[in-house]
Amino acid sequence: MPSDAALPIVHNPRYQAVFPPGHRFPMGKFGAIARVLTDLGFGPFHQPAPAPAEWIALAHDRAYVDQVLSADVPAKVAREIGFPMTDSVALRARTASSGTTLTARLALEHGIACNTAGGSHHARREQGAGFCVFNDVAVAIRVLQADGAIGRALVFDCDVHQGDGTAFIFADDPTVATVSLHGEKNYPARKAVSTLDVPLPDGMEDEAYLAALDGALEAAAAMPADIVFYNAGVDPHRDDRLGRLALTDAGLAARDRRVIDTFTRRGIPVAGVLGGGYMDDVEALARRHAILHLTARDALARMS
């Protein structure tokens, strides 16, 4: 598999939309993670342009895409998303979708690549939900399939919330497998049916979590794929205000290492996306998200 000593990282300042002060979504983490990664010696970053509507419409209903791009989303849908549906939010969603697509292309070239956003896995074909406007991973898969760059994909989702939108989008598609490890009693209340679901009890700590992860990885390794999209949400952490699990930083690092190594050792490229993480201290949250990038850099160095 091709590799390079420098981990390809995708970032765009437009990942951070203009938000009203005090909003419960930590939008400031996207700028913070770029600063943290720069301090850790990463860069320069690959910068994506906003995705065209035609790309987004490969995974979403065109009517919904046009509503988002014109900042004219029905109030009920906007409430389900939880964001003020402005031009800035629409630009962020377009750019994150193209960012994950670029991340996947770089992963195919280098073996591993990571985004500094992405993982908006609650957005389903007809609309967004749960802080997710467009399902960037679904968009990336559809764009790469349309281009002939990949035939089959695997989505391995370790965000603490089930990847319901991704599961709904690919429910009838045998070319895409979806795996979700998530809090059994956490959002969303109505779960989808993934190719493999691993529901986890509240309060689960590192050792039990990693045992469940190993079982899921063993099953996922048998699923044919040309690329793996890894949602490395840090909301299973014990300090996350929406997580309800009890992982430590060391547990998250062990998780990321096991996921990345499982697939790269089989010669399958891994595209890492940020996923969820919810703390008021965005600098601490950014450092926790950077565990993915540090782990991926170490894995790429071993491949070189």
Side-chain angles (χ1 to χ4, degrees), residues 18-296:
V18 178
F19 251 35
H23 194 282
R24 61 198 182 108
F25 183 84
M27 185 61 73
K29 72 179 184 179
F30 298 103
I33 194 169
R35 295 191 296 272
V36 167
L37 292 175
T38 299
D39 289 345
L40 290 170
F42 291 94
F45 302 133
H46 299 262
Q47 185 164 312
E54 291 74 19
W55 283 17
I56 308 295
L58 293 173
H60 293 284
D61 286 345
R62 184 59 192 253
Y64 170 65
V65 176
D66 291 343
Q67 290 170 350
V68 172
L69 269 54
S70 61
D72 190 24
V73 175
K76 179 179 182 296
V77 175
R79 284 194 300 272
E80 287 191 48
I81 294 171
F83 285 166
M85 294 306 296
T86 61
D87 290 337
S88 176
V89 168
L91 183 60
R92 173 188 181 272
R94 290 175 59 201
T95 308
S97 294
S98 63
T100 296
T101 305
L102 177 56
T103 301
R105 293 193 189 282
L106 290 165
L108 290 169
E109 180 180 353
H110 297 277
I112 312 175
C114 292
N115 203 353
T116 60
S120 295
H121 60 172
H122 299 307
R124 48 197 187 270
R125 170 165 282 280
E126 65 273 16
Q127 67 169 77
F131 300 145
C132 302
V133 179
F134 295 141
N135 194 311
D136 54 286
V137 167
V139 170
I141 291 171
R142 289 306 189 215
V143 170
L144 267 62
Q145 287 181 326
D147 289 350
I150 63 169
R152 305 179 69 97
L154 168 64
V155 183
F156 198 92
D157 192 333
C158 288
D159 189 289
V160 81
H161 306 104
Q162 193 208 30
D164 60 324
T166 311
F168 281 130
I169 288 173
F170 295 116
D172 299 317
D173 186 346
T175 69
V176 181
T178 55
V179 177
S180 178
L181 284 78
H182 54 265
E184 182 177 17
K185 297 178 181 178
N186 212 322
Y187 179 92
R190 178 197 171 202
K191 302 292 193 289
V193 178
S194 309
T195 307
L196 173 63
D197 284 300
V198 183
L200 308 171
D202 286 359
M204 178 175 272
E205 298 182 350
D206 290 350
E207 184 177 356
Y209 183 95
L210 293 172
L213 175 68
D214 286 344
L217 285 170
E218 183 178 359
M223 300 174 186
D226 301 314
I227 190 170
V228 172
F229 289 85
Y230 173 40
N231 186 327
V234 298
D235 40 12
H237 195 273
R238 63 187 179 188
D239 294 334
D240 194 276
R241 59 184 168 85
L242 298 182
R244 298 169 61 168
L245 298 187
L247 272 65
T248 64
D249 284 357
L252 290 174
R255 178 199 69 175
D256 292 352
R257 185 167 55 252
R258 292 184 192 199
V259 173
I260 292 170
D261 286 353
T262 292
F263 297 109
T264 56
R265 285 173 180 168
R266 289 166 170 79
I268 303 172
V270 175
V273 295
L274 210 65
Y278 305 92
M279 289 177 63
D280 293 332
D281 185 343
V282 295
E283 296 297 328
L285 180 57
R287 289 192 295 273
R288 187 164 298 140
H289 276 300
I291 292 170
L292 165 67
H293 305 80
L294 289 166
T295 306

